[in-house]
Amino acid sequence: MKLIGSLTSPYVRKVRIVLAEKKIEYEFVLDSPWTPESTVPNLNPLGKIPVLVLDDETALFDSRVISEYLDNVAPNNKLMPAPNRERTEVKRWEALADGICDAAALLFLEQKRPAKQQSPDWIARQQSKISHGIDYMAKELGENACCIGMHFSLADIAAVCALGYLAFRFPEIDWSEKHPNLARLYAKLMLRPAFADTVPQG
Ligand code: GSF
């Protein structure tokens, strides 16, 4: 299978970490959807990365669909529990983390526009989603060893991808200073090669 993505996308990073933790072999194809010659729109009508192209040429998107597919395609190192309530809790964490990434990506794009065209209200709206999302993440984590109690899951992967993306694009948003428990979780998970090998760059 082929993963189409970039070295900066937090959603692509989430899938790369899932693939590594599940020990699934794949080809990583760098293709930014922002370039005119990108092949991404031919695979995903939404023009977004990541896209996972299966061996039968099926194109999977988005990162949540890809992550759940990968967790089910190999029985080892399960990242999502089977029971409905626990599974839903993991997916809610993923929705929270991805939602922080959504707001951060929109904020990044808005601030790349010419200053006169930037909307202060739109910027404030995204900044509010990010700060409320981080505070909620810290409250939910509490003093637990992992996002969901004691067990490593997709929730931890999504959370670190969101926090790492903020550190990459908006280092002034100092979540680690405000929330030492998030800093502890991040530092612990960054010891895992799948996380250390996929830090956003470029
Ligand atoms: C979001 C992917 C996304 O926005 C997912 O995979 O979870 N819900 C989707 N990807 C961005 C790149 S980045 O910001 O990570 C993307 O492909 N943007 C191109 C565009 O045209 O929006």
Side-chain angles (χ1 to χ4, degrees), residues 131 134-135 138-139 174-184:
S131 61
I134 293 167
D135 292 349
K139 180 171 70 68
D174 197 351
W175 51 264
S176 59
E177 178 75 27
K178 187 174 180 186
H179 300 294
N181 63 337
L182 292 181
R184 274 193 301 278

Side-chain angles (χ1 to χ4, degrees), residues 9-11 33-34 47-50 62-64 98 105:
S9 167
Y11 313 96
W34 304 104
K48 292 188 173 219
I49 50 173
D62 68 356
S63 67
R64 295 180 211 178
D98 284 8

Side-chain angles (χ1 to χ4, degrees), residues 137-147 152 156 159-160 163 174-192 195:
M137 196 182 269
K139 180 171 70 68
E140 288 286 292
L141 174 66
E143 293 313 310
N144 288 340
C146 293
C147 292
F152 175 71
D156 299 291
V160 167
L163 296 172
D174 197 351
W175 51 264
S176 59
E177 178 75 27
K178 187 174 180 186
H179 300 294
N181 63 337
L182 292 181
R184 274 193 301 278
L185 177 76
Y186 186 85
K188 180 179 73 174
L189 292 171
M190 279 297 289
L191 297 175
R192 299 173 81 109
F195 291 73

